[in-house]
Every structure is written in structure tokens, then in C-alpha cells.
Amino acid sequence: MTTLQSIIVCFVSTAICFSLIIRDTLSLTQLKMDVPEIEQEVKTIEGEIDRLNVEITAFKSPINLIQLLKKPTYSHLSQPFEEDVIILHPHS
Amino acid sequence: MFAVSPKQKRYFLLLWMVLFGFFTLLFLKFYKLQVVDYSTWTKKADAQHFISIRQPFQRGKIYARTRMNNCMLAVEVPVSHLYADPKSIPAENRKEIVASILRMLSPTLTEAKKLKREITRTSRSRRLVSWIEEEQKRTFLSWWRQYAREERLPSNALFFIQDYRRVHPNGRLMGQVLHTVQERKDENTLRSFPTGGLELSLNRYLEGKLGLKRMARSPRHLIEMQEILEHVQNGSDIELTIDPVVQAIAEEELEKSALLYKAKSAWAVLIEPKTGHIIALAQYPFFNPDEYKRFFIRPELAQESKVKAITDTNEPGSPTKAITLALALKANAICKSQGKKPIFDPFEKINTSKGNFPGRRKAITDVHFHKCLNMYMGTQKSSNIYMATLAGRFTNALGDQWYRNELTNSFGFGQKTGIELPGESSGVVPLPGKLHPNGRAEWSKATPYSLAMGYNLQTTSLQMARAFCVFASGGYLPTPTLIRRVIQNDKVVLDTSTKTFPRVLDEEIVATVVRALKFVTKPGGSAVRADIAGFTEVGKTGTSMKLVGGAYSDKRHYASFVGFAPASNPRFVLLVGLDEPAPGYVPGRGLNHMGGTCAAPTFRNIAARTLEYLGVRPDDPFGYPKGDPRSDLSKADWMAETEALQKLYDKWNGKKES
């Protein structure tokens, strides 16, 4: 290979390397720019989950459940004795 | 070439020197700005281009376990506050913006009034509307973005700041215990101000640490840089020992009782005797933390926001007789160990016809006259004279100081229990040798007789319930607690389940006291209305007159019942207290203000429903009220013993008690 050819190969490979670096940097920047938006979205979803949990808890509130239990629809229900309840532990 | 005259040379030299001097000064200035004052100017530039935003922390959750699942009691939900940068809003746009805010964000009346003024201030940041829900925020933002674009306004002329709001999904459930935090936070630290209860006493756990985030700013936008200077640290979560279902049962029954017996207020304490875990701490009238402002505006309502079972003291009355009994038995054991004669025998026939005791101007009387009683009868009939006799005997044998030490050390009276709530009262136990401010001795000759029947000392309801834990746990004095665990970042930082407690009474003494107390809820006893259908129970009623203006009032009483169930393997100790039930006789009910009339049935109702909820199998299968197909009084628990005691009582007293 002549000196000129070597220089050309060197230039081309350097150019390719640079272009790859620039491409990756750009995509990384794009991702970085997307992060705040996604973070905000996650926060909004988490907030929504919290709000829904509060609503579910409010419905499952013992005060509410005790009132429901007094309705004829649920009059057949009774509390099980503790020895009749089997608790399955997930890791046992 | 040009010839340069010496004069011209001088000019050139001068010019050169001026230029050199000028550039030197310029260089020096440049050096000062870029090198010497580098940090100062960098700070100024950063301050113009970057902004540090504080990130609010989420206050820890408070939750408790029911039989089935976890139940959130106090949590934070994200909300936003709307702020304006009035300098960026031209005057001609303000009217329309205000109208849109009023229409879409429904501000409070105060906020609405201030809105027009706030938006015209010469400031870069004014809060316009607080506590905006996510949906309202979204609706408003979609309008604002379009409006700002059309009117060529900076999009950050109006902006939202995220915050958290404390909510109570269970409403008023255990409101006095939980309390809440004020709506307004500290402007500088963004910390909340607790209004009382657990929110105040556990503030050090519940509070987190603010985060700090750096953002770049342009004239129109804030640019997120993802540069976090300090990470947000949310508060720790607290798991309570309270069972929300038992709490709800207690609150419902207290409301019913307070209304039925026309009591000023009513409260209940349920404790697990072996662990000291408080299962319920209920009170009526209720306090809803979400409406705390309403309670604090009016002083009479503010009273309802405190936990009376720990802040208010009363002369407890008859429940103290169980303690007198235990101390008499303990004195017997001490005398025996010292080779002395025991002070009494539980089966000894003691004369209770006269109530004259040394140091007392007025004789002690019983509700009904009894000629002679033994320990079991004395407990069943709640005899003041019998208990005063026992107190006289053990103070003669072991001294006043021994009596006082036992009340404070073995039963925890006169000292705080250490419960995690603010405002706990320590109560009062008189001290031998100490004088009142008026010069009279706290402990006089007559004091032991008064103490024996629950007068001359002040206790909180929690102290009394804790004292009964000694009988329910086989002789141990637990430390009551409301906290099961404190969890920070999924790590348990505090766990109260492994605590051990000191033994204060021998098992044998406890068993004897429990046997005596079992007669109280059986026929002939003072609290037959506390008998729980299908279960064995132990307890003692109390009715004490309240001190009003230095004298006992016969119109104002404190009625209580404290006991536990099942008798052989207690699941809880329950104290029910009714403050000032309507005094007097009510047909079909009896004396309304007596503990046996109003507090005993409340105890029965709460205990029965709690045992059913906990899934405890009835241990007295024949002990049901007459008329119930399951009832067979000949086979019911403790009925044979009760009948035998009644026969002996009749024989000694020559008549059947009315």
C-alpha cells in the first residue's frame, strides 16, 4: 500500500469513527431529552395509582364494610374461626 | 526613508507608553475578572442561567393491619399549586386568564378574591391557587398552552409546582389518634406542621428530606438538565398495632352508648395483654382530621381532638378494688415469707356492717348493706367496706410507703405509660410525707381506705387498662404501644414485637384475683350486663363522682368497665369509659349513671363483636341469655360456683340480696 492509500484509509476510518460517535451522541442526547417527559409520565401514573389506592381504601374502609354487612344481601356472611383459616405463605 | 526627528521619537515613545499602559490596565482588569473574581462571576452567571428547584418529599404513610389486609390510614397524594410570573403577563391578557382560572380550577373564596390582585403584582412568582387535582391541572394546561401560543406569551408565565396533600381514606376513623398536618407548609423548608396525635409525636420518622434539582432557564422555558444535587428522601412508613376493624366496631358502639346514656363523651381502650399492643383507641364525639380547621376554630370542639383516654385523669373508683385484692394477696405472701401471720384469708368471714375507719370523719358505706362478706363476695358485690378493711390490714403490716410503691411500681399508676402520643398525663398517687399547696398532707391516716376503693388517686384510662393487663397476662406489666414497625426504604428500623416485660405479680395471686373477678358478671354481681354470650369474661365496673369546685358532685359521674375475654386465654383487655352519663333512674334500666348500667353493656357489645371478628371460638357454649336455644345455665361457666357463693352469702347475711 502506498503512503497516499494509507493516508486515505486512515482519513476514511477516522471519518467513519467520528460519524459513529456523533450518531451515538445524538441518539444519547435524544434519549436524555426524552427522560424528563417519561419521568413526568411515570410520576403522573404513580400519582394516579396513589389516588386510586385512596379511593379503593375508602371503599374498603371498615366503617363502610360494617355498614354493608348490615344489609340483608350480606346477612348470610359470618367471620370464620381462626383455626379454620389456612394462610398460605408464598415462600413455604 | 523618512527621517525621524527626536521630537517625533518622543511622541512615538509617549504614544507607545500610553498604549502599553492602556493594554496593561486592560489585561489587569481582564485578570481580575477572569482569575481573581472568577468564582464570584461564575456564581452570578449560574444564578442567571440556572435555577435550583427544591423537590418536596412524600411524608411517610401510616397504616395498620386488619385480619385480611393492610389498611391505609394516612397517605399523601400528589397535587399541584398554580403560580404566576406576573411580570411576563401583559395587562390586556390578565382579565381572560383570571376568568379561565376561576372557571377551570375552582379556587377557594379567599383565593378567588385575591386572584386579581396577585396577578398584577411586580413579582416573578405568586401563588394563585392551591391544592389542584391532576385532572383539573391537565384541563387547564391544555387551554393555557394553546392560549399562550396564540397570544405569544411565555409558556412559563403560569406554572405548576408539585406538592403532596395528606389524606385520610378512612375519614374519621381513629381521628384523635392520627390527627393531621396543616394545609400550609413552611415556605422555606416545605415541611408540614402537624396538628397533634401520631403525626406530631412521630414527626421525626414521618418527615423526609428535601431534594434539590438544577435546571437551566431560558426567557421562555425551564430546561430539565437531569442534574440532581440532592436526592429526595421520603419519610418512613409507620405500621400501627391498631386493628382498623376493631377500631371501627369500638367507635360505632361508643357512639350508640353515648347517645343512649346521654354521656358527654365516651372512649374505649383495647390492649393485647401480653404484648402491650393497642388494638383500638376509640373515642366519641369523633374528630375528622380532614376537617381539622373546623375543630380548632371553636375551643369546645378542640377538646374533642385530644385522646381523652391518655390526657384526662379521673378517680377510677371500683376497678381499683381488683388491685387492692391483689395487693392484699401479695401482702399475705410477704408475711408468709417473713414467718408472720397472713393478713387475711380469702374465705374469711369479715364483718362489713360498719364502715368506720381511723382518720375518716364520715363512715364508708356500700351501695347495698352487707353484714358479712368473704373476698369473693366482697369483689362480686363491690364492697367498699370490705376493700377498706383489707387496705387497713396490709398497711398496718407493711406500711403506707409499701402500698404506694406497689401502686406505682407494680401497676404503673402515677407515671406516664410512654405511649407514643403527645399530652399524656401521669396521673396522681399521693405521697406519704408530702404536703399539698394548702399545707395539708397528701397522704393522711384515711388515705389507704380511700385508695382501696379508687378515690384519692387520679389515673388515666390507659393506665387502668394497663393495670388490668397484669391480671390478663399472668402477672406481667406491659408497656402500651401503638407502633408495630417503622419502615424506611423497605428496611425495618423499629420493631416492637420482641419486647419483654417485668413480672409484678405471682401467677397464683393473679389466678385468685381472676377467680374473684369472674363473679362480677354473674347473677348477684354488679355487672351482669357485661356477660358476653358464649364467652367467659372477667371485669370490674366503676362509678365515681367527679370533683367539681373542690367537692364531689352527685350529678356528674365517670362510669367505667374494665375487663378481658376469654377469661382463660385473654385476647384483649378492654376499658370502656363514659364521661358524665345522664344521672338518675331510668325505668327498665336502673340508675343510668352507674358503670354496671351504661359501661358494662358497652363492654359486652364491643367485646362480643371483636371476638367474633377475630374468629375466637366461644369457650362458654352454654353461657347464653335465657330464651336463646343454646342457653343452659346449669352447664354454663362459673354458674355452679356462683350459686354456691350465693347460698353462703344468704346464710351469712340471713336474707336474699334484693
Side-chain angles (χ1 to χ4, degrees), chain B residues 412-469:
Chain B
F413 295 127
Q415 49 194 296
K416 291 181 182 180
T417 64
I419 191 172
E420 305 87 352
L421 280 172
E424 186 186 9
S425 171
S426 54
V428 181
V429 178
L431 185 66
K434 195 181 168 193
L435 298 178
H436 281 298
N438 62 8
R440 289 176 67 182
E442 270 193 17
W443 189 293
S444 68
K445 225 175 188 182
T447 301
Y449 313 113
S450 301
L451 287 175
M453 52 190 191
Y455 282 90
N456 262 23
L457 83 162
Q458 296 274 337
T459 68
T460 64
S461 298
L462 182 64
Q463 283 175 335
M464 186 50 80
R466 182 194 186 197
F468 265 70
C469 284

Side-chain angles (χ1 to χ4, degrees), chain B residues 320-338 340-348 350 374-376 379 386-387 389-395 397-398 402-403 406 410-411 470-471 504-517:
Chain B
T320 321
K321 289 171 186 166
I323 287 138
T324 309
L325 217 60
L327 293 184
L329 292 164
K330 197 172 185 175
N332 258 2
I334 293 171
C335 289
K336 221 170 160 183
S337 70
Q338 292 173 349
K340 291 180 194 167
K341 203 181 144 198
I343 62 157
F344 87 117
D345 185 288
F347 297 99
E348 182 189 338
I350 291 179
N374 67 16
M375 185 189 80
Y376 298 100
T379 311
Y386 184 86
M387 295 301 161
T389 307
L390 290 190
R393 289 190 188 183
F394 63 65
T395 44
L398 300 167
W402 178 84
Y403 190 7
E406 286 299 320
S410 296
F411 291 96
V470 174
F471 306 127
V504 293
L505 279 184
D506 288 341
E507 227 165 325
E508 203 184 322
I509 295 174
V510 172
T512 311
V513 176
V514 169
R515 271 201 303 277
L517 289 173

Side-chain angles (χ1 to χ4, degrees), chain B residues 579-595:
Chain B
D579 189 31
E580 297 185 25
Y585 181 81
V586 175
R589 193 185 294 163
L591 286 170
N592 185 69
H593 61 272
M594 297 296 284

Side-chain angles (χ1 to χ4, degrees), chain B residues 111-162:
Chain B
E111 285 172 337
K113 276 181 190 167
K114 280 166 64 182
L115 205 54
K116 277 182 194 163
R117 200 171 62 234
E118 291 294 316
I119 211 164
T120 54
R121 284 189 190 273
T122 50
S123 161
R124 303 306 311 241
S125 168
R126 302 300 300 177
R127 192 195 272 207
L128 302 182
V129 186
S130 303
W131 312 117
I132 301 161
E133 300 291 339
E134 188 59 29
E135 211 170 302
Q136 283 181 309
K137 179 184 157 184
R138 272 203 294 266
T139 316
F140 184 79
L141 271 181
S142 64
W143 168 82
W144 167 246
R145 278 177 189 143
Q146 196 184 344
Y147 180 79
R149 210 168 31 244
E150 284 167 6
E151 298 291 319
R152 295 182 172 276
L153 297 175
S155 67
N156 58 356
L158 289 181
F159 56 98
F160 285 93
I161 297 250
Q162 203 211 322

Side-chain angles (χ1 to χ4, degrees), chain A residues 35-36 39 43-44 47-48 50-51 54 57-58 60-63 66-67 70 79-85, chain B residues 58 67 69 72 75 77-78 134 138 169-170 172 224 226 244 248 252 571 609 612-613 615-618:
Chain A
V35 167
E39 196 186 9
K43 266 189 184 169
T44 312
E48 199 59 36
D50 282 349
R51 264 186 295 279
V54 167
T57 311
K60 291 199 310 190
S61 157
I63 300 173
I66 286 172
Q67 293 310 316
K70 285 176 188 164
Q79 292 285 352
F81 290 121
E82 51 191 342
E83 59 267 27
D84 297 340
V85 178
Chain B
Q58 208 165 359
R67 237 186 123 187
N69 52 18
M72 289 298 160
V75 287
V77 290
E134 188 59 29
R138 272 203 294 266
N170 289 286
R172 53 135 172 103
E224 185 80 55
Q226 290 304 299
E252 192 181 292
R571 298 298 295 267
R609 287 178 67 186
E612 188 199 351
Y613 159 72
V616 180
R617 200 175 280 280

